[in-house]
Amino acid sequence: EAGPLAVALRRGGGGSAEAETEEAEVEAEVSAAAAEQHPLLSAESPSEPLELNAKLLALRQCIEWQREAARQFKSARADWKLPVVRGRLVSNVLDLFGSANPRTPALHWRNTVVTFVGEPGVDEGGLTADLHSSFWREVLKPEHGLFEQLAEGGAYLPRADADKERLSLVGRFLLKSVLDDHPTGPG
């Protein structure tokens, strides 16, 4: 019997809203199945400090499996072009994520091509890395009204009065950062 990915590939995967919804469902099934199959990501796997590196490597491996499965869909192969104004970086990134169709998970698997408006440069990976590190430094600042720091040098938590939709978009960008192996945090 053919698995959900094979069935979706035969259907053509992509184009209409119905196809995008089917694509999202197939991708979720494939993601869950791949994670369940990996011995280091199971719930029974011990969490000894010495095994942390192995678990992180296993997570990277599962992400790469998912990336390869998603690349079967046309919508995951196109570049995602992000024009960003550096002075409005946080709002630009969140607006771009907000305008993207959340029912198209292939977006998270796309290669990101960043352009900083008014600045020279061609993104060969460096501008994307700059976007991710700059975003995580900036989004934690009090003027954005999303996070607060517990104590000097302490952890950041969402503010109680933060806009829930904007926090959801920050979460989507966090997923993109993790999937593309970019560092997160104030660093």
Side-chain angles (χ1 to χ4, degrees), residues 61-180:
Q61 186 177 29
C62 281
I63 288 171
E64 291 310 314
W65 288 340
Q66 296 307 302
R67 186 180 316 282
E68 286 306 310
R71 305 279 297 156
Q72 301 298 314
F73 297 104
K74 183 179 175 184
S75 62
R77 290 191 299 266
D79 285 343
W80 188 27
K81 297 179 179 171
L82 298 176
V84 178
V85 177
R86 201 177 285 275
R88 295 188 313 248
L89 187 134
V90 171
S91 61
N92 275 177
V93 168
L94 297 182
D95 290 345
L96 288 165
F97 264 85
S99 65
N101 183 352
R103 295 180 113 352
T104 308
L107 177 70
H108 288 94
W109 299 110
R110 287 182 181 176
N111 181 46
T112 307
V113 178
V114 173
T115 304
F116 286 106
V117 177
E119 297 180 22
V122 175
D123 193 357
E124 302 268 336
L127 296 178
T128 296
D130 186 10
L131 171 75
H132 283 267
S133 64
S134 297
F135 178 85
W136 292 111
R137 239 186 344 269
E138 289 295 315
V139 76
L140 298 173
K141 291 183 177 176
E143 60 261 27
H144 297 293
L146 296 171
F147 295 93
E148 60 188 354
Q149 194 170 18
L150 291 180
E152 185 65 35
Y156 288 87
L157 293 175
R159 291 174 46 140
D161 61 346
D163 181 306
K164 306 298 185 249
E165 177 63 26
R166 306 281 289 167
L167 284 175
S168 176
L169 295 172
V170 169
R172 290 177 64 195
F173 193 72
L174 175 61
L175 173 63
K176 181 69 173 152
S177 292
V178 170
L179 292 177
D180 290 351

